[in-house]
Amino acid sequence: MSGGETMTFVGSRTAITSPPHAHVQQGRALLPPEWDIDHESMQLVPTCTVRGCDRHDVSLLTSTYHDDGIDEHGKMKIPGPEYAAWANAVHGATSLAHMHHITTHTCKIDGDEAHAESYVLVALLAKDGKSATMMCGRYIDRLERRDGAWKLAVRRATVELAFAADASLLQTEFFRNQRFVKGTRDPS
């Protein structure tokens, strides 16, 4: 996101408000030429998928896929509408907490089809609460605009690097006494 607009999450809905330099005429924002609303809309897709994963928000995560969309995670090929349930089950069975982070994002738009690549960092706190796994990879996406909405037609997840880490710091008395607020898998 760039240029001063805001992104608001309301339950399972995401909205972008217009940038401050947009003009409104007859209820429609007139955006300057440098503002590529399609590109900005497509950046929300990976953002919403990782938020949906981390919050176990089935509605938000499912909303990023077309009904006939496919998610490929290694040998697994999961229909888009079933991906959220699959991801929640895998994450819930293997970790106490997890965080997905999108870093570099590029995309090329060709009419109503776009190809995007988003680098992703995933940290998973193991069930023992003392060890963690960090995975680094990419989401290679084909998005399609249908009925005015950009959604995933195909997502391929890669894993380029993975390593185990010591997370026992989280269990120390010193750290617990800091009383950091802890996130949850609650979609609200």
Side-chain angles (χ1 to χ4, degrees), residues 64-142:
T64 63
Y65 289 86
H66 284 295
D67 289 340
D68 59 350
I70 297 289
D71 187 285
E72 297 178 5
H73 265 68
K75 67 179 182 177
M76 301 299 299
K77 290 181 176 39
I78 306 120
E82 298 172 21
Y83 175 71
W86 178 84
N88 288 349
V90 169
H91 289 128
T94 60
S95 65
L96 292 176
H98 51 86
M99 297 184 81
H100 294 67
H101 302 275
I102 297 295
T103 60
T104 305
H105 173 80
T106 60
C107 70
K108 180 176 170 132
I109 302 167
D110 185 12
D112 288 334
E113 183 174 291
H115 296 270
E117 177 183 72
S118 303
Y119 284 56
V120 60
L121 306 173
V122 181
L124 302 121
L125 180 62
K127 289 285 196 176
D128 66 7
K130 297 178 182 176
S131 60
T133 301
M134 179 65 114
M135 294 191 299
C136 309
R138 296 175 289 149
Y139 292 145
I140 301 169
D141 298 331
R142 181 167 52 85

Side-chain angles (χ1 to χ4, degrees), residues 29-95:
L30 300 175
L31 301 171
E34 71 271 13
W35 186 261
D36 185 346
I37 196 69
D38 286 334
H39 186 267
E40 294 294 324
S41 295
M42 277 185 282
Q43 285 184 311
L44 282 176
V45 173
T47 300
C48 290
T49 57
V50 299
R51 180 169 170 50
C53 275
D54 292 341
R55 295 295 189 172
H56 287 219
D57 187 332
V58 172
S59 178
L60 179 60
L61 188 48
T62 301
S63 75
T64 63
Y65 289 86
H66 284 295
D67 289 340
D68 59 350
I70 297 289
D71 187 285
E72 297 178 5
H73 265 68
K75 67 179 182 177
M76 301 299 299
K77 290 181 176 39
I78 306 120
E82 298 172 21
Y83 175 71
W86 178 84
N88 288 349
V90 169
H91 289 128
T94 60
S95 65

